[in-house]
Amino acid sequence: MKRLWWVTAVVFLLGIGVGKGIDGWQQQREPGLPVFVQNTDPTQPETEAAGQTQPEPTGEPESMLPCSLRYTTLVAQKLVSYEGPYLESGTEENVVDVAALLLTNTGTIGIEYTQIVVTQGSRELYFDATYIPPRSTVLLLEENRSDYLSDEVTSCRCRTVVPGTFDQEPRTITLREKDMCTLEVTNLTDQPLSCVRVFYKHHMGQDDLYLGGLTYSAVIQNLQPGETRAITPYRYASGYTKVVAVTVE
């Protein structure tokens, strides 16, 4: 209980607000699910899938959730109900009982952008995500903040997918955490780097789960040879966010 209070207090001070969602769902979690996800009963959809060709297809979609999305390395695990800060728009106001989708990238190539469409009766739910690392799972919140319903899912498809290779440019720069909210970036080359971009996402370390499709970025300009520069990225907090990519120009 002491540890949970510490987590809640730190997140509140950072303005992230995830701690409130964690605290509110502590007694309702299903084993194996993060604490901010409500225990729900998965449906059995007749799955349709569509998308652009990927290097590592995972096969035909299954007849129920979880289902592999055709021509992608993505697996839609289940629909759940979410309560907490709404992270998809960056505004982070509190929402209650919003539909959310657990989505896993099973491949060795990252996904730079994808949109998943889930159909329940006469309504469609849209889930967007950017920068999903290989072999990782992300909890996506419905882009229109639609309520969670336990209605039958009639289709689940990948409408758009853009694969991409992104890493932390290990031969060009080093990146390390200096303290909870500060990163240090070092130019390892003998040439100035005009622009270094650091991409990071909300991440719950205890569940190894990315939260929200939104990806933040911080920019370092004119990093000189051998120079180390400290930055304090917006909304960055060790243990609650995680760097997913670094690009160098």
Side-chain angles (χ1 to χ4, degrees):
M1 190 63 187
K2 182 178 180 181
R3 180 176 179 272
L4 180 61
W5 175 89
W6 181 85
V7 169
T8 304
V10 169
V11 175
F12 177 81
L13 289 173
L14 290 168
I16 296 174
V18 177
K20 183 175 180 181
I22 293 174
D23 195 36
W25 291 103
Q26 181 67 28
Q27 302 304 321
Q28 302 184 48
R29 70 178 303 187
E30 174 182 337
L33 287 180
V35 293
F36 43 79
V37 173
Q38 184 182 17
N39 182 12
T40 56
D41 184 23
T43 54
Q44 297 184 356
E46 176 185 351
T47 304
E48 300 172 1
Q52 300 174 5
T53 302
Q54 276 268 86
E56 297 184 8
T58 54
E60 296 295 320
E62 303 293 336
S63 60
M64 65 180 70
L65 293 178
C67 67
S68 299
L69 299 172
R70 189 179 297 174
Y71 307 124
T72 80
T73 59
L74 298 172
V75 178
Q77 301 287 359
K78 66 186 300 184
L79 281 177
V80 295
S81 176
Y82 172 85
E83 177 181 356
Y86 188 78
L87 301 173
E88 305 297 359
S89 64
T91 56
E92 302 192 3
E93 65 269 30
N94 273 343
V95 293
V96 178
D97 202 25
V98 166
L101 177 68
L102 279 166
L103 182 71
T104 299
N105 178 14
T106 64
T108 58
I109 296 176
I111 302 297
E112 288 194 13
Y113 174 75
T114 189
Q115 183 180 70
I116 309 300
V117 183
V118 175
T119 304
Q120 284 185 306
S122 61
R123 76 171 189 163
E124 289 188 331
L125 305 175
Y126 297 90
F127 302 92
D128 289 12
T130 57
Y131 286 92
I132 308 174
R135 308 291 171 84
S136 66
T137 299
V138 59
L139 180 69
L140 305 177
L141 311 182
E142 208 280 326
E143 69 173 33
N144 298 309
R145 310 185 192 195
S146 299
D147 292 342
Y148 169 79
L149 297 176
S150 58
D151 296 1
E152 179 183 3
V153 173
T154 54
S155 74
C156 180
R157 66 187 189 275
C158 182
R159 187 176 187 179
T160 305
V161 63
V162 181
T165 302
F166 43 86
D167 56 30
Q168 294 188 17
E169 300 282 355
R171 293 176 299 278
T172 305
I173 62 100
T174 59
L175 179 71
R176 73 178 188 89
E177 290 183 343
K178 181 179 180 182
D179 55 42
M180 187 165 189
C181 301
T182 304
L183 296 174
E184 282 190 341
V185 183
T186 302
N187 181 357
L188 298 179
T189 74
D190 58 2
Q191 300 293 325
L193 302 176
S194 61
C195 183
V196 178
R197 298 182 186 273
V198 180
F199 297 88
Y200 55 101
K201 300 176 71 69
H202 288 293
H203 183 263
M204 306 306 294
Q206 63 183 1
D207 300 298
D208 193 18
L209 179 73
Y210 291 96
L211 178 57
L214 184 66
T215 303
Y216 296 93
S217 66
V219 177
I220 303 98
Q221 294 181 324
N222 300 318
L223 191 65
Q224 298 302 307
E227 180 185 0
T228 297
R229 194 177 303 176
I231 59 172
T232 306
Y234 174 76
R235 290 281 196 257
Y236 186 88
S238 177
Y240 305 100
T241 47
K242 187 174 183 179
V243 173
V244 293
V246 178
T247 62
V248 174
E249 299 174 9

